[in-house]
Amino acid sequence: MVIRENCVVSIHYTLTDKDGDVLDSSEGKEPLHYLHGASNIIPGLEKELTGKEPGDQLSVIVNPEEGYGKRQQQLVQQVPLAAFDGVDQVAAGMQFQAETDNGTMHVIVTDVSDDTVTVDGNHPLAGETLHFDVSVEKVREATEEEVAHGHPHEGSQAH
């Protein structure tokens, strides 16, 4: 069966940056299971997997526009340290959920000074060109329930 919309797909992948450093991988783990056409994975990778079938192996380069987007400088903000009331010690690398006018946003602390904290709401891979090595393991038709929910329910069902 070829990969098309409303198929549950199982892939093994290794994601590297432009220097070849591994950022993420399914090696030694269960394959990644996703519902094709439901925006479960980044658009550039999903587009390249369309029409592939079990046994296919491919290398895919995904530009920021089809990955995690371009870095948006307006998502880097300085916030008063007082906004972190109740946190013992705020340090770079900490992650928080921030309430904004547009809803909840995931932010990472990038710098802390005496009374100011710099947070970044960009995805850590925003602005990066992503390099994927992928092997297609299994493809099956999604159930009506999986399509309605927008994700596979049991990866082990893939054939």
Side-chain angles (χ1 to χ4, degrees), residues 9 20 36 49 51 54-55 57 63 65 79 83 91 101 112 129 131 133 138 141 143-144 147 149-150 157:
V9 181
H36 198 79
L49 286 166
Q57 295 188 3
N63 292 318
E65 297 80 7
V79 180
D101 293 340
V112 181
T129 298
H131 301 257
D133 287 315
K138 298 175 183 177
E141 200 70 41
T143 65
E144 287 181 24
V147 172
H149 291 178
Q157 291 179 358

Side-chain angles (χ1 to χ4, degrees), residues 14-69:
T14 297
L15 168 61
T16 57
D17 63 14
K18 66 181 188 304
D19 299 323
D21 295 326
V22 175
L23 302 174
D24 193 15
S25 177
S26 65
E27 188 175 328
K29 305 177 204 166
E30 282 288 310
L32 171 69
H33 310 286
Y34 76 95
L35 178 60
H36 198 79
S39 301
N40 291 171
I41 63 173
I42 59 173
L45 181 57
E46 186 171 63
K47 180 173 76 174
E48 292 296 323
L49 286 166
T50 301
K52 302 297 188 257
E53 56 190 357
D56 285 350
Q57 295 188 3
L58 57 154
S59 292
V60 178
I61 297 174
V62 178
N63 292 318
E65 297 80 7
E66 291 189 298
Y68 293 100

Side-chain angles (χ1 to χ4, degrees), residues 12-137:
H12 272 295
Y13 69 93
T14 297
L15 168 61
T16 57
D17 63 14
K18 66 181 188 304
D19 299 323
D21 295 326
V22 175
L23 302 174
D24 193 15
S25 177
S26 65
E27 188 175 328
K29 305 177 204 166
E30 282 288 310
L32 171 69
H33 310 286
Y34 76 95
L35 178 60
H36 198 79
S39 301
N40 291 171
I41 63 173
I42 59 173
L45 181 57
E46 186 171 63
K47 180 173 76 174
E48 292 296 323
L49 286 166
T50 301
K52 302 297 188 257
E53 56 190 357
D56 285 350
Q57 295 188 3
L58 57 154
S59 292
V60 178
I61 297 174
V62 178
N63 292 318
E65 297 80 7
E66 291 189 298
Y68 293 100
K70 292 182 177 181
R71 283 195 55 77
Q72 298 178 47
Q73 194 55 41
Q74 70 269 24
L75 295 180
V76 178
Q77 297 183 356
Q78 293 191 337
V79 180
L81 183 58
F84 294 86
D85 188 36
V87 178
D88 288 340
Q89 185 174 352
V90 179
M94 293 177 86
Q95 299 179 28
F96 294 93
Q97 297 291 327
E99 294 301 323
T100 70
D101 293 340
N102 297 325
T104 303
M105 173 186 276
H106 181 84
V107 298
I108 297 173
V109 174
T110 57
D111 189 48
V112 181
S113 67
D114 290 340
D115 58 354
T116 305
V117 177
T118 303
V119 296
D120 188 346
N122 286 289
H123 186 282
L125 295 176
E128 298 290 326
T129 298
L130 307 172
H131 301 257
F132 288 92
D133 287 315
V134 180
S135 67
V136 179
E137 301 298 312

Side-chain angles (χ1 to χ4, degrees), residues 1 5-8 35 140-147 152:
M1 170 176 272
E5 192 166 327
N6 296 332
C7 283
V8 172
L35 178 60
R140 69 167 171 83
E141 200 70 41
T143 65
E144 287 181 24
E145 186 178 25
E146 289 170 322
V147 172

